């Protein structure tokens, strides 16, 4: 199919968003067109006075080359009609705020668009609002805070967030007499608590520890201290003999303990579709599925690198993991083959320390790395959509250790002590 303008091909344009739909009659276009030229065609067909940027999918993958190159790479004939699905392009995130801390940030969690929980290596949990105000500095740990998890703002739970520490305890925090206070300290781990996750119903939480175990806890405050319920081997001194910041905080005992990992468990997340299940990753290169009620390791997936972080999407039903080999891996927990990785995403130049799925998309996720950057991915494209660099010179090249994606906000922090908050416009475009 040739013309004076070079080789041509018939395409059919398809949009799932009705407001952008055009007639599905095939049209003839030059094979040398890329997404920008195709976007011009769609805007012309829609009669848009203000052009809308679009991305195009061919065979389920974003078109990042000319049509001719796509046909050649996929051994497809130009004589056939090529169907192109198009979606509104996602605009790059913009940094809208940066909150400074005196020490490294280990963890971040957004309870709402106006409430951010930050864990730091100075042992303090800080609460920030969207007006750049630190509304509380909470001291309930004796060593570095390694993880935080927030209860959704609409929850009726008395506990509003949980922090885990190198001091082997997890502290649940809530409001008493108008002030944020420690409700109880969950005790029982014998090494640093590396990760904490709260179930969607806000009734229970799990902690992952360097002691190789995962523990399952009720989120509700105990009516009285549960020191006597702790296993004698790990209980340590009684509340009267304990020393330190949280010595006199009421004790909470675990409902159950999950064992099976060899070495530190670095990350844990609930299956949002089935609250009795959690997924975990650790130094033993494994991604595991657990039934927390039964205390059973349901399945184990293996790779050849340490797992540093984990997140689960209820939209795609896939697990994303960050690794020490600078990769993001995607897993299908339903797959029977324990060694099959669905997709491996590579672009970072340092350890991938944290991963977070977009809350309302089956395709979008973000990753933070020791290389100091955040990368935003659409799993229909191998290269990242965007690489987000810090705007402040003092943050450049500093390790990122924490990431959270809440609605249109992307929060990140790490070695520089800056809590960086980014905003997305047009997130719905890639859904």
């Amino acid at each position: 199919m040739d013309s004076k303008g070079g080789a041509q091909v018939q395409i059919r344009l398809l949009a799932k968003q009705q407001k952008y739909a055009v007639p599905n009659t095939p049209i003839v276009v030059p094979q040398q067109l890329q997404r920008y030229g195709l976007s011009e065609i769609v805007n012309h067909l829609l009669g848009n006075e203000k052009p809308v940027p679009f991305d195009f999918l061919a065979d389920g993958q974003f078109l990042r080359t000319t049509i001719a190159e796509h046909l050649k790479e996929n051994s497809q004939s130009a004589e056939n009609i090529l169907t192109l699905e198009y979606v509104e392009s996602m605009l790059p995130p913009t940094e809208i705020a940066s909150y400074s801390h005196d020490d490294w940030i280990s963890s971040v969690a957004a309870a709402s668009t106006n409430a951010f929980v930050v864990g730091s290596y100075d042992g303090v949990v800080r609460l920030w609002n969207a007006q750049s105000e630190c509304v509380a500095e909470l001291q309930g740990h004796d060593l570095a805070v390694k993880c935080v998890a927030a209860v959704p703002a609409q929850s009726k739970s008395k506990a509003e967030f949980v922090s885990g520490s190198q001091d082997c305890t997890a502290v649940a925090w809530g409001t008493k007499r108008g002030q944020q206070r420690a409700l109880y300290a969950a005790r029982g781990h014998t090494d640093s608590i590396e990760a904490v996750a709260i179930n969607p119903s806000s009734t229970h939480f799990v902690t992952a520890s360097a002691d190789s175990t995962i523990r399952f806890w009720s989120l509700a405050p105990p009516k009285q201290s549960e020191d006597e319920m702790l296993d004698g081997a790990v209980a340590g001194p009684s509340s009267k003999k304990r020393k330190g910041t949280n010595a006199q905080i009421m004790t909470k005992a675990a409902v159950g303990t999950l064992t099976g990992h060899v070495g530190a468990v670095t990350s844990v997340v609930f299956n949002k579709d089935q609250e009795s299940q959690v997924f975990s990753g650790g130094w033993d290169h494994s991604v595991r599925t657990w039934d927390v009620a039964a205390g059973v390791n349901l399945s184990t997936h293996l790779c050849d690198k340490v797992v540093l972080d984990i997140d689960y999407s209820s939209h795609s039903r896939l697990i994303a993991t960050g690794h020490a080999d600078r990769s993001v891996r995607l897993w299908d927990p339903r797959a029977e083959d324990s060694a099959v990785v669905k997709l491996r995403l590579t672009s970072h130049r340092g350890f991938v320390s944290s991963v977070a799925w977009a809350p309302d998309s089956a395709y979008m996720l973000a990753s933070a790395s020791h290389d100091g950057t955040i990368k935003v991915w659409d799993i229909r494209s191998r290269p990242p959509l965007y690489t987000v660099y810090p705007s402040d010179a003092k943050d450049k090249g500093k390790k990122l250790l924490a990431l959270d994606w809440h609605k249109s906000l992307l929060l990140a922090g790490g070695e520089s002590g800056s809590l960086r908050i980014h905003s997305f416009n047009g997130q719905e475009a890639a859904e």
Side-chain angles (χ1 to χ4, degrees):
M1 194 179 291
D2 292 292
S3 73
K4 293 181 181 180
Q8 297 182 313
V9 64
Q10 288 190 85
I11 64 169
R12 178 179 284 112
L13 295 167
L14 174 66
K16 290 184 178 179
Q17 293 170 290
Q18 192 58 38
K19 63 179 179 178
Y20 294 133
V22 299
N24 64 356
T25 306
I27 60 175
V28 178
V29 300
Q31 289 187 29
Q32 291 306 309
L33 280 185
Q34 299 187 52
R35 57 175 171 151
Y36 301 109
L38 290 166
S39 194
E40 288 181 351
I41 292 174
V42 172
N43 277 285
H44 175 74
L45 292 173
L46 291 171
N48 289 335
E49 292 184 7
K50 183 179 180 181
V52 176
F54 293 101
D55 274 303
F56 295 81
L57 293 106
D59 303 311
Q61 292 291 316
F62 275 114
L63 186 67
R64 292 292 183 253
T65 62
T66 65
I67 294 176
E69 290 173 304
H70 170 79
L71 294 174
K72 183 177 180 181
E73 290 173 3
N74 292 274
S75 302
Q76 294 179 356
S77 171
E79 299 299 322
N80 297 328
I81 298 174
L82 177 64
T83 299
L84 295 176
E85 180 188 343
Y86 57 98
V87 294
E88 187 180 351
S89 295
M90 184 179 191
L91 299 177
T94 55
E95 188 171 318
I96 59 172
S98 180
Y99 306 160
S100 295
H101 297 70
D102 294 333
D103 210 335
W104 291 23
I105 291 173
S106 64
S107 47
V108 297
S112 70
T113 54
N114 191 43
F116 316 127
V117 186
V118 181
S120 178
Y121 273 79
D122 62 5
V124 179
V125 178
R126 292 175 175 83
L127 304 184
W128 294 83
N129 62 24
Q131 290 73 49
S132 303
E133 297 171 328
C134 182
V135 296
E137 291 190 352
L138 306 175
Q139 299 184 4
H141 291 289
D142 297 319
L143 296 172
V145 176
K146 293 300 297 290
C147 52
V148 293
V151 176
Q154 67 274 16
S155 171
K156 296 180 180 179
S157 168
K158 291 183 179 180
E160 296 168 11
F161 53 93
V162 180
S163 58
S165 168
Q166 287 181 344
D167 66 9
C168 310
T169 67
V171 175
W173 304 85
T175 302
K176 285 185 177 180
R177 302 181 185 91
Q179 290 187 328
Q180 295 287 344
R181 298 179 183 275
L183 301 180
Y184 58 82
R187 309 183 200 274
H189 282 295
T190 59
D191 208 335
S192 174
I193 295 178
E194 298 295 305
V196 59
I198 298 169
N199 71 344
S201 297
S202 301
T203 58
H204 292 79
F205 68 98
V206 287
T207 50
S209 172
D211 66 10
S212 304
T213 71
I214 298 165
R215 293 183 183 243
F216 182 50
W217 318 76
S218 168
L219 191 58
K223 294 182 179 180
Q224 60 185 23
S225 191
E226 297 177 349
D227 285 284
E228 71 282 356
M229 296 175 61
L230 295 178
D231 179 70
V234 300
S238 67
S239 58
K240 293 182 179 180
K241 296 181 180 179
R242 288 194 194 102
K243 296 179 180 180
T245 304
N246 67 12
Q248 300 308 312
I249 301 174
M250 191 183 304
T251 292
K252 181 83 168 181
V255 176
T257 301
L258 306 176
T259 59
H261 275 286
V262 179
V265 188
T266 58
S267 47
V268 66
V269 65
F270 273 92
N271 181 341
K272 300 175 183 66
D273 300 315
Q274 194 171 342
E275 291 194 21
S276 63
Q277 286 187 2
V278 297
F279 306 113
S280 64
W283 283 9
D284 59 4
H285 305 180
S286 73
V287 173
R288 297 172 185 256
T289 304
W290 305 84
D291 183 321
V292 290
V296 176
N297 186 177
L298 298 175
S299 66
T300 301
H301 291 72
L302 300 172
C303 63
D304 55 359
K305 295 297 177 182
V306 168
V307 179
L308 299 177
D309 196 28
I310 193 168
D311 198 18
Y312 174 76
S313 168
S314 59
H315 297 285
S316 65
R317 297 188 177 181
L318 296 176
I319 295 169
T321 50
H323 296 266
D325 65 351
R326 304 177 291 181
S327 299
V328 176
R329 289 176 171 83
L330 302 185
W331 311 76
D332 185 343
R334 300 160 295 180
E336 295 182 0
D337 191 328
S338 64
V340 171
V341 175
K342 186 176 180 67
L343 187 63
R344 181 169 173 251
L345 303 172
T346 58
S347 180
H348 279 295
R349 297 183 178 181
F351 289 5
V352 179
S353 52
S354 191
V355 292
W357 283 99
D360 298 310
S361 172
Y363 307 108
M364 308 296 299
L365 73 148
S367 57
S369 169
H370 286 193
D371 64 15
T373 69
I374 303 166
K375 292 187 184 288
V376 180
W377 310 82
D378 187 304
I379 62 175
R380 296 168 293 187
S381 173
R382 290 299 181 96
L385 292 184
Y386 300 108
T387 298
V388 184
Y389 296 92
S391 59
D392 195 318
K394 73 180 179 65
D395 297 331
K396 292 181 179 178
K398 301 296 185 180
K399 298 174 184 176
L400 287 177
L401 304 174
L403 189 69
D404 189 29
W405 195 334
H406 179 80
K407 295 188 176 179
S408 63
L409 298 180
L410 192 61
L411 288 69
E415 180 184 3
S416 71
S418 296
L419 172 64
R420 292 159 47 189
I421 301 180
H422 303 80
S423 176
F424 282 97
N425 291 312
Q427 180 183 334
E428 73 281 0
E431 293 172 13

